[in-house]
Amino acid sequence: MLRFFFILGFSLLTLFASAQSSDFIGKITNKISGLPVPECHVFIPGSSFQAFSDSSGYFKLSNIPLGRWQIVAVLSGFEFQQDSVLLLPDKTTSKEIRLNPIQGISPVLTVLSEGKRKNLEKEFLKVFLGKNFNDLEISLLNPYKLIFEISPDKTTTVAAEGPIFFKNDLTGYLISLYFKPLKLEDTNQDITRIASYYELPAEDNSILTQRRATRLDIYKNSLEFNLSELMSGETSAFSPSPDPKVAIGDNPGEYLLAFSHPASVNLSNGKIGTIDFSEENLALRINGSPIDYSSLILGGNFSNANPVFGIPINFNGDKTIRLANLERNAQVMQERIFLHTDRQHYWHQEHLLFKAYIRYGSPLISEDMSKVLHVELLDTRGNVQLHSLFKIENGTASGSILLPDSLSQNNYLLRSYTAWSSNYDKDGDFFKPIQILERSLKPVTQNPESASAGITVFTDKQSYGPDESVRLNIMASDSKGKPINANLSVTVLDLNQASVLPEQADLKSSLQIINATQDKSTFERHIESGFLIKGSLFTPEGTPIMGNVTALIDGFENIKKLKSEKDGSFIFPQANFEEKFEIAIQATSQEGFPIKNIKIELIRYPSSYLPSEFDFSPFATRSIKPLNRAEIEEGMEIGEILLEEAVVEKERESTIGPMPYGSPDNVVKAEDLTLNGNVNQFLNSLAGKIPGMQVFGTPTTVKFRGGEPLVLINGVPASLAGVPVINVLGQINIFSIDRVEVVKRLVPSLGDQGRNGVISIILKTGEDLERAREANLNSFTLFELQGLQVNESFEDLMLNQQQNPWTMDQKPTLYWNPNFVTNESNLSKSVEFKTNSKAGPMWVEIQGISESGEPVFGKFLINESPSKD
């Protein structure tokens, strides 16, 4: 028997904050053949949790709240599959989902004229969205997926091949939607819809604010909101009061709600909704979403809700409400930063490993704040030696920085900041002293003292010998010793090689929220959702000049047209490229003359503040013989040489495979055309080789049959049928075309896409492609930049270090983990590593923050008397 209790004053935000999540992984296979099934859409219905299976059939759904969920797997050609899963704390749930191939005949595609199809698409939208669908800011992105079948009695059945995609500009969601076949003439039918949501990026804060207001309005009129109100004891909108009672369910994240039913609720939009259910009580999640919607009997505004106008069931409405009432001032929007490094001293050609923690004036706004962390290495005069960019996710960032042997000093400052935090002067930057020494030097060892605040470490042995496995159990706990959820970073040092230096910038003070009284409207630096790139144009003499800029960013698909200011500067839109990328710039003056004196750089944010209070440790000689370049070359075997760049002259054979149209009507080699890089010139030259091909009008139109043909690039559709050919070809390099195959007839295998024929572009490969790129770039200046750094695993970095003659004989950092997360459901969590070939004392340092935002740390000396075995 369940015991219910009243929950007036129930805090949803508190429960949201402590909600735990887990991952669900699985494999999609063919039930008959047992083979993996790629490209299967796996999702939780009505939510934003979704994934697609890879080439081996595997998929992963991440960060799903604990508890019971329904999982759906859908792929054209297979039967719809639905399974239930139970996600438990600190455990990844896995499952194989076997899809049954559909046996029988697929829906018959009725061949329609272009006008007839357009009319049927409009009728479908009327049935699916309502008569006034044209007034809505909603668009169907792939109407070509609709299949219309007209029966002898003139009724029309509509189905779809795979999901149809709706874009709702008001809510900011892309909705992937599956529906059962429906009759266009039936105005009273119940349409079965299953949807998943993807949140679209907002171009600016004003759009994000508008979307949040729209989502909040939808949420306040939703079933989920009103059930969550009942859970908190709020009944003012119900008539009469349904007398709610709630109990904790048997499964994680599950609550059992009982109330007098059916219940009627007066919604804020003036409508009425009714709620009834068939069981003794209603199982809910903390945000009010039912575990099993099939047990509900809904009426009024809640019945047959259309997901195109809705929001995901995992929408955090309570947070959105609080955000709407939050004043965004300098106090609330501050970003405090702390950098935990694996050590405080390094040698040349090692990697500096770090994790950054960012604490916000209000945790509610973390998703709206900076997404780019800048990390700089400064010499003691403030000159920038290195500048790297890292992606901020969930209030943390981590990575590594290679320390070149060109760094000629011993003492440096590590500076980290965001563009926004740099508005707060010295309070917005984090500085940390770092020593980078020659191989023969080492900081003078200081006597390390253990200390702890919320962290406990247990060793599996009293002492460890050479090359021995070590197991540490780490527990994060509150003041009462109860395990807590915490986000930590862990480093273990071998004190035979590394030194422990005093911490001069501690976690607690660095993350302390300050009293910020500035007027944020005076801030000159904005929140970066991506990094900024600045360019400048100069005359040959170095004078800034105004001009027009064409930029090809990381290939030929991303083309930007910009104008420089009077000072010659121009700024690219915020970017999120990872690792190295290229920008090719073509610039002309206002008079049309080419500009070749161009400068491109990543924008950094200098600080006028340079701390002087840091002390650097003295250093002494260590017992290791320094290597020089000559010694490294002497170590090379006889006959070993450094190879220059090799060019493979043989052209790689095409691996495109058979085309869907079979044999083409015409084949034209690019060498038989007159090309200058202009798309119009290419099309007119091609038309001279293809009987019946028409190229005319402004903008340019291409026709064989009734409309614009479909363009294939290397056998893959590059557009939808009817999209102007010139728009598609404008996105590729004309010089990279090897040949063109033309099909002027209808291509049945391409369905409706092939109704107007096909222009099939086959691109060059190998050296020919490189020549084509050079031909297109002969008027461009090429720049190579370093974008956001991609994390490498500690194991991979150590493997590379062992292969480097300069660092192969040392491993001062035995273990590093920037993503160590503890769970309140488990007493401790373990890490494992091995000692070096010479065992010695080890220093364990753990830094991080608890789920409530409180700093926690632990510093421990272990293996003071190592074993000699």
Side-chain angles (χ1 to χ4, degrees):
M1 181 177 177
L2 295 170
R3 182 179 179 183
F4 289 91
F5 54 92
F6 288 99
I7 48 169
L8 291 171
F10 193 59
S11 173
L12 289 178
L13 184 65
T14 301
L15 287 175
F16 265 124
S18 61
Q20 299 174 38
S21 62
S22 183
D23 296 338
F24 174 56
I25 61 175
K27 184 177 183 180
I28 308 295
T29 58
N30 186 311
K31 190 174 183 179
I32 295 177
S33 68
L35 295 174
V37 177
E39 298 301 321
C40 180
H41 191 192
V42 185
F43 61 97
I44 294 176
S47 79
S48 60
F49 301 118
Q50 59 181 315
F52 287 86
S53 58
D54 63 17
S55 59
S56 301
Y58 291 104
F59 67 89
K60 180 179 181 180
L61 299 176
S62 301
N63 299 319
I64 306 172
L66 302 181
R68 289 185 293 162
W69 294 93
Q70 294 296 311
I71 304 291
V72 167
V74 190
L75 181 63
S76 181
F78 293 88
E79 293 179 0
F80 178 91
Q81 181 71 34
Q82 183 163 329
D83 283 283
S84 60
V85 295
L86 175 61
L87 302 184
L88 299 173
D90 208 32
K91 178 182 179 182
T92 297
T93 303
S94 61
K95 189 170 189 176
E96 179 182 358
I97 299 177
R98 299 190 296 165
L99 298 185
N100 199 25
I102 294 176
Q103 307 294 329
I105 302 174
S106 301
V108 178
L109 174 65
T110 303
V111 179
L112 303 167
S113 68
E114 186 175 351
K116 177 65 173 177
R117 182 174 178 87
K118 290 290 184 185
N119 288 333
L120 289 177
E121 288 173 3
K122 289 181 180 178
E123 290 301 314
F124 167 77
L125 292 175
K126 283 183 183 178
V127 172
F128 213 80
L129 301 179
K131 293 181 179 180
N132 299 321
F133 71 90
N134 280 323
D135 299 330
L136 304 172
E137 293 188 40
I138 295 173
S139 52
L140 174 59
L141 302 184
N142 57 342
Y144 58 89
K145 286 289 187 179
L146 296 174
I147 301 173
F148 297 98
E149 183 180 1
I150 301 178
S151 62
D153 64 359
K154 304 299 182 182
T155 59
T156 303
T157 301
V158 188
E161 183 184 0
I164 56 175
F165 302 125
F166 284 98
K167 179 186 176 186
N168 189 327
D169 288 322
L170 286 177
T171 62
Y173 287 111
L174 176 69
I175 303 101
S176 303
L177 202 144
Y178 300 85
F179 66 95
K180 289 186 177 180
L182 57 87
K183 293 280 189 182
L184 284 185
E185 294 76 15
D186 187 353
T187 57
N188 296 316
Q189 63 191 313
D190 289 332
I191 302 175
T192 302
R193 309 176 181 91
I194 297 178
S196 65
Y197 293 83
Y198 172 76
E199 184 172 357
L200 298 168
E203 296 177 3
D204 54 53
N205 283 334
S206 63
I207 293 176
L208 183 60
T209 301
Q210 172 266 311
R211 287 177 178 176
R212 282 178 173 161
T214 302
R215 295 170 188 170
L216 190 57
D217 182 63
I218 294 170
Y219 176 66
K220 287 185 175 180
N221 290 283
S222 69
L223 168 72
E224 290 79 10
F225 170 75
N226 286 280
L227 288 174
S228 70
E229 290 286 273
L230 284 181
M231 291 176 69
S232 65
E234 177 56 56
T235 62
S236 59
F238 289 82
S239 180
S241 173
D243 189 26
K245 299 180 179 66
V246 71
I248 304 295
D250 294 331
N251 297 310
E254 191 171 301
Y255 302 86
L256 303 177
L257 177 66
F259 57 90
S260 302
H261 56 94
S264 178
V265 56
N266 300 304
L267 304 175
S268 60
N269 61 10
K271 298 180 180 180
I272 295 176
T274 60
I275 309 170
D276 201 354
F277 51 94
S278 56
E279 306 295 334
E280 179 183 353
N281 49 68
L282 195 58
L284 303 174
R285 300 181 187 91
I286 189 59
N287 69 338
S289 61
I291 303 294
D292 181 8
Y293 281 83
S294 65
S295 64
L296 288 163
I297 305 168
L298 303 175
N301 200 57
F302 296 147
S303 64
N304 200 26
N306 191 334
V308 177
F309 307 112
I311 53 178
I313 60 172
N314 56 307
F315 176 74
N316 192 336
D318 192 71
K319 177 181 177 180
T320 306
I321 292 172
R322 292 172 180 264
L323 271 172
N325 298 320
L326 184 69
E327 180 186 356
R328 297 189 175 226
N329 53 34
Q331 176 73 22
V332 165
M333 296 181 69
Q334 61 184 286
E335 296 175 324
R336 303 285 287 157
I337 300 169
F338 174 77
L339 227 62
H340 180 204
T341 56
D342 64 316
R343 284 176 275 149
Q344 295 186 66
H345 72 92
Y346 300 88
W347 292 281
H348 294 130
Q349 297 198 23
E350 283 194 304
H351 283 85
L352 181 154
L353 311 174
F354 77 90
K355 179 175 181 179
Y357 296 89
I358 298 95
R359 190 179 186 186
Y360 306 95
S362 171
L364 287 171
I365 64 169
S366 59
E367 293 179 8
D368 303 339
M369 300 304 291
S370 301
K371 299 296 183 290
V372 177
L373 179 75
H374 297 252
V375 179
E376 297 177 347
L377 187 69
L378 313 178
D379 63 25
T380 51
R381 295 184 298 275
N383 300 313
V384 178
Q385 304 300 308
L386 299 172
H387 174 217
S388 300
L389 305 175
F390 300 88
K391 185 177 182 179
I392 298 174
E393 292 185 285
N394 302 317
T396 66
S398 60
S400 62
I401 300 173
L402 178 62
L403 304 172
D405 50 15
S406 59
L407 297 171
S408 58
Q409 295 188 10
N410 295 315
N411 299 330
Y412 293 88
L413 290 174
L414 200 62
R415 178 192 176 212
S416 61
Y417 62 91
T418 67
W420 180 257
S421 75
S422 67
N423 289 303
Y424 292 76
D425 301 322
K426 66 177 183 179
D427 292 319
D429 292 358
F430 174 83
F431 288 93
K432 182 172 187 173
I434 293 290
Q435 292 186 302
I436 304 171
L437 307 175
E438 296 292 336
R439 282 171 46 85
S440 60
L441 301 177
K442 176 183 177 181
V444 174
T445 300
Q446 316 233 355
N447 294 324
E449 295 184 3
S450 299
S452 176
I455 298 292
T456 307
V457 171
F458 305 94
T459 60
D460 62 332
K461 290 180 63 177
Q462 187 68 29
S463 61
Y464 303 91
D467 296 313
E468 187 172 357
S469 294
V470 179
R471 182 186 179 93
L472 304 179
N473 286 293
I474 301 171
M475 182 176 76
S477 57
D478 59 18
S479 58
K480 298 180 180 179
K482 180 182 176 182
I484 59 173
N485 301 324
N487 190 338
L488 310 171
S489 43
V490 181
T491 185
V492 182
L493 305 182
D494 180 349
L495 296 189
N496 280 336
Q497 300 184 26
S499 298
V500 178
L501 305 180
E503 185 73 65
Q504 300 185 60
D506 68 280
L507 174 72
K508 186 173 183 180
S509 61
S510 298
L511 295 182
Q512 183 70 41
I513 298 301
I514 63 171
N515 182 24
T517 58
Q518 302 99 316
D519 180 359
K520 73 179 180 67
S521 64
T522 64
F523 288 175
E524 297 180 356
R525 297 168 179 178
H526 301 288
I527 294 171
E528 285 185 324
S529 57
F531 58 86
L532 289 173
I533 308 166
K534 179 183 178 181
S536 301
L537 304 181
F538 302 93
T539 65
E541 297 74 29
T543 304
I545 183 174
M546 293 182 67
N548 301 309
V549 175
T550 299
L552 308 179
I553 305 176
D554 212 29
F556 292 93
E557 287 122 12
N558 192 350
I559 303 175
K560 299 294 182 186
K561 301 282 188 179
L562 304 167
K563 289 184 179 291
S564 68
E565 302 294 334
K566 289 183 179 180
D567 63 356
S569 66
F570 55 94
I571 304 292
F572 290 90
Q574 297 192 28
N576 289 284
F577 295 111
E578 295 182 340
E579 296 294 353
K580 290 181 179 179
F581 66 99
E582 294 179 342
I583 298 181
I585 300 290
Q586 182 188 66
T588 57
S589 67
Q590 291 180 309
E591 295 76 24
F593 296 108
I595 300 173
K596 283 295 185 179
N597 193 355
I598 305 169
K599 181 181 178 182
I600 296 290
E601 61 182 342
L602 299 178
I603 290 182
R604 58 174 296 271
Y605 303 89
S607 173
S608 59
Y609 171 71
L610 189 68
S612 58
E613 66 271 17
F614 292 135
D615 294 323
F616 291 94
S617 174
F619 40 84
T621 302
R622 67 174 180 152
S623 55
I624 184 169
K625 183 178 180 294
L627 294 175
N628 55 45
R629 294 291 183 181
E631 288 174 316
I632 293 176
E633 292 177 357
E634 286 176 5
M636 297 174 67
E637 295 182 8
I638 297 176
E640 274 191 283
I641 60 173
L642 295 176
L643 294 177
E644 300 295 331
E645 180 182 2
V647 177
V648 180
E649 296 186 355
K650 182 179 179 182
E651 182 177 350
R652 181 169 61 88
E653 294 183 1
S654 172
T655 58
I656 298 169
M659 293 297 181
Y661 47 77
S663 299
D665 296 330
N666 302 89
V667 179
V668 179
K669 296 285 289 183
E671 61 196 42
D672 297 327
L673 299 172
T674 303
L675 302 179
N676 64 6
N678 181 275
V679 178
N680 276 307
Q681 189 270 346
F682 164 76
L683 288 172
N684 281 288
S685 181
L686 181 64
K689 304 286 185 180
I690 307 295
M693 178 176 173
Q694 303 175 55
V695 179
F696 60 91
T698 304
T700 303
T701 300
V702 178
K703 282 190 178 182
F704 301 135
R705 301 169 54 83
E708 296 257 355
L710 175 70
V711 176
L712 303 183
I713 296 179
N714 285 351
V716 179
S719 69
L720 309 181
V723 173
V725 172
I726 193 167
N727 289 0
V728 180
L729 297 184
Q731 303 302 311
I732 67 172
N733 175 9
I734 295 300
F735 293 111
S736 68
I737 296 174
D738 178 67
R739 67 183 186 275
V740 182
E741 297 183 352
V742 174
V743 181
K744 292 178 282 188
R745 63 186 184 274
L746 182 145
V747 182
S749 62
L750 293 172
D752 189 55
Q753 293 289 289
R755 65 183 184 273
N756 298 325
V758 170
I759 293 179
S760 179
I761 305 292
I762 311 300
L763 299 178
K764 295 175 180 177
T765 60
E767 190 177 358
D768 286 339
L769 180 59
E770 291 303 315
R771 291 197 188 102
R773 287 175 175 167
E774 290 175 8
N776 198 52
L777 284 171
N778 57 7
S779 61
F780 284 79
T781 303
L782 190 64
F783 298 88
E784 185 177 83
L785 300 173
Q786 182 74 46
L788 297 169
Q789 301 276 8
V790 174
N791 274 348
E792 293 185 71
S793 70
F794 175 69
E795 291 74 19
D796 287 344
L797 291 173
M798 291 301 100
L799 180 61
N800 292 336
Q801 183 170 301
Q802 296 307 307
Q803 296 171 349
N804 184 338
W806 291 78
T807 56
M808 63 188 304
D809 59 348
Q810 60 192 43
K811 189 180 179 183
T813 301
L814 294 170
Y815 179 83
W816 166 255
N817 186 347
N819 301 304
F820 189 83
V821 178
T822 63
N823 192 301
E824 63 182 7
S825 301
N826 296 305
L827 186 63
S828 64
K829 188 174 180 179
S830 64
V831 303
E832 293 187 23
F833 57 91
K834 290 188 71 173
T835 61
N836 283 323
S837 56
K838 179 183 178 183
M842 293 179 281
W843 180 253
V844 181
E845 182 174 301
I846 302 164
Q847 306 264 20
I849 55 175
S850 69
E851 191 175 44
S852 62
E854 293 302 314
V856 292
F857 69 89
K859 303 176 182 181
F860 309 93
L861 181 64
I862 63 172
N863 207 38
E864 293 185 71
S865 302
S867 302
K868 296 182 180 180
D869 299 334

